[in-house]
Amino acid sequence: MTEKNSALDEQRAADRKVRKQDYMVISLGIVLLLVAKIMA
Amino acid sequence: MAQTQVGQVKSQSISEQFIKAIPGLILVVLLAVAAMWGEGYLKANHKAFFEATLLNHILLAIIFGMIIRNTMGVPSVLEPGLKYSTILTKTGIVIMGTKYTLASLVKVGTVSMIFITIALFATVMLTFWLRKRYEMSDSLAGCLAAGFSICGVSATVATGPAVKAKGQEMAYTIATILIFGLIALFTFPALGKLMGLTQNQFGAWVGVGIVNSAQVLAAGMAYGHDAGLMAGIYNMGRVVLLPFVVLYVVMLVLKSDTQATSSINKSQFILDKFPVFVLAFLVAVLANTAGLFSKEEVKFAGETMNWCFALGFASIGLTTKFSDMKAAGKDGIILGFIVGAIKAVIALLIVKYLLPF
């Protein structure tokens, strides 16, 4: 049971890491698109 | 008060991380500048060589990075700044959305999505069918199946914990995917020319035939601007299907364990693994379709995208160690390469003779 829980925790942690990275990508992408609109 | 203190500690650690990353990021920027300059130099002074080798800024950034990493090495103080390749390449993909309209996506749409979907699931089935001939654990086979069907590294990272793969098995899969992709990256453009593929055909081919997203885009752009755009659409088609393919792989790996498979909440699994940055790409496409970007703004965004890719690929080159690849062993590499090669050949025939480009 503990082993199962730790595998689940590990999986959730990996998902959270990828999701956090995706949010950073979205923020950076929006900033750069705004920069493109202002600078062009 | 306590919350403020926690916030300060958190922001300090982020700022510390940023400061530590600066030296490595400077090297990445220098390599990206050198790659951009190198492409301009080759185009202006050695046009025939450039057209034959397709050495654009992306390939040059990878090559420069790999040369530095595998000859003189990279000092440890630079390592923290080399971890941002995925963020940079994914950001480039989001900005790439300004190069499409909804109509262009729909035009490629239905037939391509059917082709991509069949290719992904067939690759998983082929890997599981072939794996019986090789000595490997179910979890490694699961990582290889997911990695070689979708977008390489992300798929492996998404699958690994779900099939209880060891870190070593995930690293092994990623190394195998990157070796296959590197070979494909430098050979597929020449093969495309040899086969007389159009820009759209080549983009579609690498979009299915090459595994790692970054390498798909690099190969597409090496062939030409339109091939790069088509490769981008195919790549997004694959990325959207990531959670479904990962779920399928997990079910195959755990099929002997009926209790484990029945305990998976499938809709929650798909939601947890959905790559949300795809939504930002779609917003960029919609904004461009609605006319929110002028021609100059799209051009400027395109240049920004090129820089994101140059920086991302310089980081990838700087973190590619030949010794890691050598240490990866042979059974998984053989299986991965067989699956990758079969998929690439079948995809080439379909793209060349069946798809309506």
Side-chain angles (χ1 to χ4, degrees), chain B residues 57-215:
Chain B
H57 60 281
I58 290 177
L59 294 185
L60 287 173
I62 297 177
I63 293 170
F64 292 162
M66 285 197 303
I67 290 173
I68 291 178
R69 165 62 76 178
N70 295 287
T71 54
M72 59 189 88
V74 177
S76 57
V77 70
L78 301 178
E79 296 285 357
L82 309 181
K83 290 177 188 164
Y84 300 98
S85 59
T86 313
I87 290 178
L88 288 162
T89 46
K90 277 184 177 177
T91 305
I93 292 170
V94 168
I95 299 172
M96 202 180 196
T98 58
K99 293 195 168 260
Y100 305 101
T101 59
L102 212 51
S104 68
L105 289 192
V106 171
K107 197 176 153 197
V108 183
T110 323
V111 177
S112 301
M113 276 313 283
I114 294 170
F115 174 40
I116 293 166
T117 309
I118 293 172
L120 297 189
F121 286 95
T123 308
V124 174
M125 286 190 256
L126 179 66
T127 313
F128 273 89
W129 182 67
L130 283 173
R131 74 151 296 237
K132 292 168 198 155
R133 292 151 211 256
Y134 296 92
E135 288 276 323
M136 69 181 66
S137 62
D138 282 346
S139 50
L140 176 59
C143 285
L144 282 169
F148 267 90
S149 60
I150 325 174
C151 40
V153 180
S154 316
T156 310
V157 172
T159 309
V163 295
K164 297 167 191 161
K166 295 176 194 140
Q168 207 183 349
E169 291 175 328
M170 288 165 68
Y172 182 95
T173 304
I174 291 168
T176 308
I177 287 163
L178 293 180
I179 300 170
F180 179 81
L182 266 183
I183 296 169
L185 182 56
F186 291 101
T187 53
F188 278 26
L191 280 173
K193 277 194 164 182
L194 202 70
M195 294 287 294
L197 297 186
T198 64
Q199 291 280 315
N200 283 345
Q201 285 175 331
F202 186 80
W205 180 39
V206 294
V208 172
I210 297 182
V211 193
N212 178 256
S213 291
Q215 288 166 337

Side-chain angles (χ1 to χ4, degrees), chain B residues 272-324:
Chain B
D272 287 345
K273 300 214 180 283
F274 187 80
V276 288
F277 82 97
V278 170
L279 300 176
F281 169 85
L282 287 175
V283 168
V285 174
L286 290 174
N288 191 37
T289 309
L292 292 181
F293 292 103
S294 68
K295 220 173 172 183
E296 290 73 30
E297 287 162 357
V298 170
K299 199 179 163 205
F300 192 92
E303 282 165 20
T304 314
M305 175 195 83
N306 284 341
W307 276 102
C308 284
F309 286 145
L311 293 165
F313 286 103
S315 308
I316 290 171
L318 283 165
T319 46
T320 304
K321 290 184 202 165
F322 294 148
S323 56
D324 283 355

